[in-house]
Amino acid sequence: KLFGGEVGLHFHPHPLDWLHIENTFETVTGKLEDDSYLPLIPANKITNTVRVEFDNNWFKKGYAFVKLLTNLKQNNISDFETVTPSYSLISTGIGGEFNVFNNIMSLSITGNNLTNKKYINHLSRLKPDGIYKIGRNISWAKRNKLEHRHKGKWVYLCTRSLYNKKIISRVYNIDTYNFNGKKRSGTK
């Protein structure tokens, strides 16, 4: 038998449209016919997030969040597993879009496991070796959406991320092709 579920609450007070308070609880239980537990079942998890959204003249689609993720103790284990203690992780981030020379640039910075908690996820394949998951992690991302028109016919779309690696780079003749790269019907 395998059963479980997820329950969530998203509180979004309408006088404060910019505020979001989100809470979720996830649980899964797996049992065999002899009532022993299945292996590699994730621990119950509670996630609490406070997120704000903002928009002004120079910063569009702005957001900031603080998240507390709590994995509860997993003691419903099979014969060849060990109990996993509970742990909590704090994450935060901020980001948004703004115009740079008539092009949209998106910036974000995120910090995970800000307290540098040493923990091992119950599903980690490295758990038997005592190898912890990643500690404090600060990351940032920059994406540019560039549009270039050549005689009104060609559009060059490019998205760049951290370390300036191209994610998408395509050139389309907008008279002949749809933006999914397929030829329009009735064109040569």
Side-chain angles (χ1 to χ4, degrees):
K1 294 185 275 185
L2 189 63
F3 54 93
E6 180 179 351
V7 176
L9 173 67
H10 183 165
F11 182 64
H12 181 64
H14 285 291
L16 306 172
D17 284 338
W18 50 269
L19 178 64
H20 299 266
I21 301 171
E22 302 167 13
N23 307 90
T24 61
F25 174 74
E26 302 170 30
T27 183
V28 176
T29 302
K31 288 191 171 187
L32 298 171
E33 291 177 2
D34 65 356
D35 252 7
S36 63
Y37 290 101
L38 286 171
L40 296 175
I41 298 296
N44 294 340
K45 181 169 40 171
I46 300 170
T47 306
N48 300 300
T49 306
V50 176
R51 182 169 46 96
V52 295
E53 297 173 345
F54 48 90
D55 238 356
N56 59 35
N57 292 339
W58 59 275
F59 206 64
K60 304 292 182 195
K61 297 181 184 176
Y63 67 89
F65 71 89
V66 176
K67 178 167 58 172
L68 174 65
L69 169 70
T70 302
N71 276 356
L72 302 176
K73 180 178 181 179
Q74 178 57 295
N75 53 9
N76 299 336
I77 56 175
S78 72
D79 292 338
F80 301 104
E81 290 183 306
T82 58
V83 173
T84 304
S86 65
Y87 58 89
S88 295
L89 305 174
I90 297 174
S91 302
T92 189
I94 189 167
E97 296 179 350
F98 56 94
N99 273 334
V100 177
F101 303 113
N102 294 326
N103 291 303
I104 297 172
M105 179 183 287
S106 173
L107 287 176
S108 65
I109 185 165
T110 305
N112 295 312
N113 192 5
L114 294 177
T115 59
N116 206 22
K117 174 79 174 169
K118 290 183 178 182
Y119 71 98
I120 299 176
N121 188 301
H122 185 70
L123 300 180
S124 173
R125 296 292 187 183
L126 303 174
K127 183 180 175 191
D129 300 323
I131 298 174
Y132 296 111
K133 296 288 276 181
I134 191 166
R136 183 180 299 119
N137 179 22
I138 309 291
S139 60
W140 64 276
K142 175 186 81 89
R143 283 173 286 201
N144 295 356
K145 181 178 178 184
L146 304 174
E147 289 188 23
H148 177 70
R149 297 182 188 274
H150 178 68
K151 297 182 182 177
K153 290 187 176 181
W154 296 94
V155 176
Y156 174 67
L157 298 173
C158 177
T159 302
R160 293 186 183 269
S161 70
L162 192 59
Y163 306 118
N164 243 1
K165 294 180 181 176
K166 286 184 183 177
I167 296 174
I168 300 170
S169 178
R170 294 185 180 152
V171 177
Y172 295 105
N173 180 334
I174 60 175
D175 291 335
T176 307
Y177 291 90
N178 291 323
F179 280 98
N180 59 12
K182 295 181 180 176
K183 276 195 169 191
R184 291 184 186 164
S185 58
T187 60
K188 296 180 182 180

